[in-house]
Amino acid sequence: MKLVVDANIPAADACFGAFGEVIKRPGREISAEHLRDVDALIIRSVTPVNASLLAESSVRFVGTCTIGTDHVDSAYLAQQGIRFANAPGCNAEAVVDYVLASLLTLAERQGWRLLDRCVGIVGVGNVGSRLQARLQALGVKVLACDPPRAEREGVSEGETGFASLETLIEHCDVLCLHTPLVSAGPHATRHLLNAERINELSPGTVVVNAGRGDCIDGLALRSRLAGQNDLTAVLDVWENEPAIDTALHDLATLATPHIAGYSLDGKLRGSLMIHQALASHVGEASALTLDGICPPPALASFTLQQALPCEDALRLCARAVYDVRRDHESLTREAHALGLAQGFDTCRANYPRRREFSTLTVCLGDEAQPLAPVLSAAGFNVVLA
């Protein structure tokens, strides 16, 4: 078997080498000519998979080591009898870490407390449900909007915690988007946050998009930010990546290059899930485990001896694992050096190793032990010294 694998997929040899010859190529450079005599294609989110890529190929299996699938023409694959697999939930914890790190950073900069905010979550799937659980465990008020899920579960607005998007816009201090990209139909999400809804946002609202760039009308958001300068935008995903809107990038308070889910742990989960799907496709058993391919964290534990204000403790622990400011500054620096599009891809291709909150064990001395509930709620492992 011959496999073409995106060069940015970690543990590619461990996960796919046993199946045959592994050829690694940058995801944006994979073309039809590379796939003529290839049996399997393993990608991430930057490779569009469609008839023009595969029509002359021998590919019988396509796997994307990501949650999202809007870069893959799954209908075409089904029509051609090509097996397709994605990795739902693989990096959901990393995206939640990103959102919490961003909100804690904004709270410090702008002088408010996350624990006093009302957060609206649009899309309560793998990521949104985990974010909701962590925020609620912290004691943050959460409103959730997910019409397709409410419809599937047979509930109406106001039942089991679901609310309309208009309710979230009216009542929430923070609006987090975690929907898939759906271009048409009753629950379309393209430009879900359109000009009308953006103009309805109360001054001071924080908008976080770590889902799909096209779910926000970027021109409308840019217009509101440039004209009134009364919203805070945290943008990890963008329309037209990597050729993103320079003016919108400059207006965002935190601007990062589609890396919210880029933890090593999340990437390795994705690699492992596609490994398992390919093993099933070829009828082979797999004994590979996440522990078998995941290295120990650089910082496994530290001790807090003294009590701190809750959000100071959360920021301290979060930044010990992941500091979102690094990614914001990295994109700004590379954009200045290379231009925004090339800088965007350079940041992604050279992304430093990042771990998840759950990999850090926080030991609490006697005086710091009251912090145990809030640190556990945020996703850290807590032990009492």
Side-chain angles (χ1 to χ4, degrees):
M1 175 180 283
K2 184 182 286 189
L3 306 89
V4 167
V5 179
D6 186 315
N8 283 333
I9 291 175
D13 292 326
C15 288
F16 305 110
F19 296 107
E21 179 187 1
V22 172
I23 302 167
K24 299 176 186 176
R25 297 191 181 278
R28 291 201 197 275
E29 298 178 13
I30 295 173
S31 66
E33 65 180 292
H34 299 136
L35 303 177
R36 297 191 190 281
D37 60 346
V38 168
D39 303 291
L41 173 63
I42 313 298
I43 57 169
R44 288 189 60 82
S45 60
V46 299
T47 306
V49 177
N50 47 39
S52 63
L53 183 70
L54 298 179
E56 303 299 323
S57 80
S58 55
V59 169
R60 306 311 301 163
F61 177 92
V62 174
T64 180
C65 301
T66 60
I67 296 175
T69 62
D70 46 273
H71 56 299
V72 177
D73 187 343
S74 55
Y76 170 77
L77 298 186
Q79 182 185 54
Q80 298 300 311
I82 299 171
R83 172 79 181 274
F84 173 62
N86 68 319
C90 65
N91 64 354
E93 295 292 344
V95 178
V96 176
D97 289 353
Y98 172 93
V99 173
L100 292 179
S102 297
L103 294 179
L104 288 165
T105 294
L106 293 179
E108 180 182 47
R109 285 184 180 180
Q110 298 177 347
W112 45 266
R113 295 180 74 248
L114 172 58
L115 303 185
D116 295 335
R117 302 288 97 171
C118 177
V119 176
I121 301 174
V122 185
V124 195
N126 280 311
V127 175
S129 61
R130 287 173 168 85
L131 178 61
Q132 181 179 17
R134 279 207 240 173
L135 288 171
Q136 289 178 331
L138 285 167
V140 177
K141 182 179 179 181
V142 175
L143 295 178
C145 171
D146 195 323
R149 181 174 165 184
E151 187 175 280
R152 288 195 303 272
E153 296 178 6
V155 299
S156 302
E157 180 185 335
E159 296 182 33
T160 64
F162 289 114
S164 68
L165 180 53
E166 287 66 31
T167 298
L168 268 61
I169 288 171
E170 181 180 358
H171 294 287
C172 293
D173 307 295
V174 179
L175 198 62
C176 298
L177 274 64
H178 298 290
T179 67
L181 179 60
V182 180
S183 296
H187 301 305
T189 61
R190 185 180 185 278
H191 286 186
L192 181 66
L193 211 60
N194 56 20
E196 180 180 357
R197 286 169 170 156
I198 288 169
N199 288 332
E200 289 173 350
L201 293 169
S202 299
T205 299
V206 176
V207 177
V208 181
N209 193 6
R212 292 290 176 265
D214 285 351
C215 293
I216 292 181
D217 182 337
L219 291 177
L221 180 59
R222 184 182 76 185
S223 177
R224 172 77 185 258
L225 292 170
Q228 296 174 242
N229 193 29
D230 61 352
L231 302 179
T232 297
V234 177
L235 301 177
D236 181 61
V237 291
W238 312 75
E239 294 180 290
N240 305 312
E241 295 178 10
I244 67 176
D245 183 336
T246 301
L248 181 57
H249 165 269
D250 293 345
L251 290 164
T253 303
L254 290 174
T256 54
H258 201 155
I259 47 70
Y262 255 38
S263 70
L264 177 62
D265 311 77
K267 290 180 178 180
L268 289 173
R269 285 190 205 99
S271 298
L272 181 61
M273 291 169 74
I274 299 306
H275 158 87
Q276 292 168 339
L278 181 55
S280 174
H281 173 67
V282 300
E284 295 182 6
S286 170
L288 200 62
T289 65
L290 187 61
D291 287 342
I293 59 174
C294 198
L299 179 64
S301 65
F302 70 73
T303 300
L304 288 178
Q305 296 288 7
Q306 301 292 327
L308 293 170
C310 284
E311 295 201 16
D312 288 346
L314 285 170
R315 271 186 288 271
L316 176 65
C317 294
R319 288 173 181 167
V321 180
Y322 171 59
D323 191 341
V324 68
R325 297 173 301 181
R326 177 200 66 192
D327 291 332
H328 171 85
E329 296 300 334
S330 175
L331 179 57
T332 301
R333 181 178 63 251
E334 295 298 336
H336 286 161
L338 303 171
L340 197 45
Q342 188 177 345
F344 190 96
D345 273 352
T346 297
C347 289
R348 287 166 59 84
N350 301 319
Y351 195 69
R353 179 175 289 188
R354 166 184 153 202
R355 304 308 297 269
E356 295 177 359
F357 287 4
S358 61
T359 65
L360 178 65
T361 296
V362 184
C363 305
L364 299 178
D366 289 345
E367 293 187 24
Q369 289 184 9
L371 293 170
V374 71
L375 294 177
S376 295
F380 302 101
N381 289 312
V382 175
V383 297
L384 305 182

